[in-house]
Amino acid sequence: MTLPQFIELPGSSVYQHPFPIEGMASQALLLHADYKQLTKTTDLWLNSVPGCEYRYVPLLPFVICNPVWIKRILWTPAGQGWMRESDFNFAYYVACFKGHEFQSIAVAQAYLIVDNPLTVSTGREIFGYRKVFGQMDYLAGTYQPTAASTWVIKEAKPDSELELAEVARIIPPPGWPAATRQAEWTDLKHLAELAVGDLLFDAFTAVSHLIEMFKAQNLPVVYLLQLRDIASPTSAIFQAILESPMQITKLHSAWFLPPGFKVQLTNYSSYPLISDLGIRVDDTGAAEVALGFQTYWDCVLQAGRVGGMGGGSAGVPAD
């Protein structure tokens, strides 16, 4: 099938990929989560597109709180400029199957707040990133996010107005240093000791797959890209499962964070972080960090592939 040429419109906020990324400072804070709830969320999100030949299953009972400071994002063709982005996302690893055969590990980013409105539109339209625009608190003198706010409906009722509210905040241990010691990919084996529950793989096999993904310096990211139909509001005129590799081009450093971190979370009606992902929290809504890393790398968000297509785009008529 020959695709039509994309119409580049003046003033458009959708840039062309691949996207070279220079200087990604990322914290990975692993939070305990309910595996059955992660499975329900994954089935609704990634396993509901008609005709998709792939199936996704959560790899481990953890959600990653991932505050990121990206110093420079470039786009294609090169030489047109650059932009900065900080984001605050909640992700988890999934195993991809084709039929009954294991294919690969991918990252599924379920909730993603960014402080750059242009990367919201670009990420949503090209990949299906679940990005929303928000505001952040930053570590002094940097753009490393420590808290994130976005626009939410706190409680679903007739008189609830959309409002800006904080949805997540990192609580570091008292007097914490930047990091404790250099980390290696094999340090992820510790996750197998922390993982409990009725998992698809045994924990050590799951972590072994994860380590191999990182050693290859290729992190596939899986998305649902869909557009609501204008004539039938409950239908999708376009719907597809996509995968795109985040290729690490240079790993500058990777460090363990000290123990004692927590993440303060909320569970608003329109942004149910805790209940949708099954994150384990205490009575105050705080989640203890099971394991924390700080990484700094360069990468390229590459062109991807379509795993399955539904909606009007696949010849499925709207109701």
Side-chain angles (χ1 to χ4, degrees):
M1 180 179 68
T2 301
L3 297 175
Q5 186 76 21
F6 186 84
I7 302 171
E8 302 284 358
L9 299 174
S12 172
S13 60
V14 178
Y15 297 93
Q16 182 182 329
H17 56 301
F19 297 112
I21 294 174
E22 299 175 356
M24 177 183 283
S26 170
Q27 290 180 336
L29 307 174
L30 277 74
L31 313 177
H32 287 284
D34 182 80
Y35 187 77
K36 290 183 179 179
Q37 180 57 45
L38 278 182
T39 301
K40 290 179 182 178
T41 295
T42 305
D43 286 343
L44 175 64
W45 175 22
L46 300 176
N47 295 329
S48 297
V49 175
C52 183
E53 59 182 344
Y54 298 98
R55 179 174 61 92
Y56 296 90
V57 182
L59 187 67
L60 291 163
F62 297 105
V63 168
I64 307 153
C65 173
N66 187 210
V68 177
W69 169 21
I70 303 173
K71 292 187 177 180
R72 291 170 65 96
I73 303 173
L74 300 94
W75 54 91
T76 306
Q80 300 182 77
W82 63 276
M83 55 186 165
R84 181 196 64 78
E85 175 189 323
S86 292
D87 64 59
F88 207 113
N89 73 78
F90 292 83
Y92 56 99
Y93 297 110
V94 292
C96 174
F97 289 84
K98 187 175 182 180
H100 295 289
E101 294 186 6
F102 170 74
Q103 299 291 305
S104 61
I105 303 299
V107 181
Q109 293 182 317
Y111 289 81
L112 178 54
I113 302 168
V114 302
D115 64 354
N116 183 336
L118 297 188
T119 63
V120 173
S121 51
T122 296
R124 276 182 170 267
E125 290 190 29
I126 296 177
F127 299 102
Y129 268 118
R130 292 171 61 176
K131 291 186 175 184
V132 296
F133 180 60
Q135 297 179 1
M136 300 189 187
D137 292 349
Y138 306 101
L139 194 64
T142 75
Y143 284 106
Q144 181 70 41
T146 58
S149 301
T150 191
W151 283 264
V152 301
I153 295 291
K154 289 186 174 181
E155 187 178 353
K157 56 183 182 180
D159 59 348
S160 292
E161 182 180 0
L162 190 72
E163 61 181 297
L164 181 66
E166 184 174 291
V167 297
R169 175 174 293 274
I170 298 170
I171 305 172
W176 72 282
T180 52
R181 70 170 178 82
Q182 188 170 352
E184 305 291 341
W185 296 130
T186 51
D187 287 321
L188 290 172
K189 290 180 180 178
H190 183 52
L191 293 181
E193 302 168 12
L194 299 172
V196 294
D198 186 15
L199 310 181
L200 176 71
F201 295 112
D202 71 86
F204 287 96
T205 301
V207 172
S208 296
H209 284 309
L210 192 60
I211 291 171
E212 290 305 311
M213 179 188 73
F214 278 108
K215 281 184 175 180
Q217 297 195 334
N218 180 36
L219 282 63
V221 185
V222 59
Y223 319 86
L224 168 64
L225 176 61
Q226 61 178 350
L227 297 173
R228 195 181 296 276
D229 185 77
I230 193 169
S232 177
T234 59
S235 302
I237 189 65
F238 180 90
Q239 193 175 67
I241 295 295
L242 312 179
E243 275 196 18
S244 172
M246 182 181 290
Q247 188 72 48
I248 300 173
T249 54
K250 186 173 183 180
L251 176 63
H252 297 279
S253 61
W255 299 88
F256 267 123
L257 292 171
F261 275 81
K262 293 184 178 182
V263 183
Q264 187 69 47
L265 299 172
T266 56
N267 203 54
Y268 296 129
S269 177
S270 67
Y271 215 75
L273 271 172
I274 298 171
S275 58
D276 189 38
L277 298 178
I279 299 173
R280 187 194 303 171
V281 297
D282 63 19
D283 292 341
T284 69
E288 291 189 7
V289 174
L291 196 64
F293 293 89
Q294 177 89 39
T295 58
Y296 186 61
W297 60 36
D298 300 336
C299 62
V300 179
L301 192 55
Q302 300 279 15
R305 65 173 176 83
V306 178
M309 191 178 293
S313 51
V316 180
D319 293 337

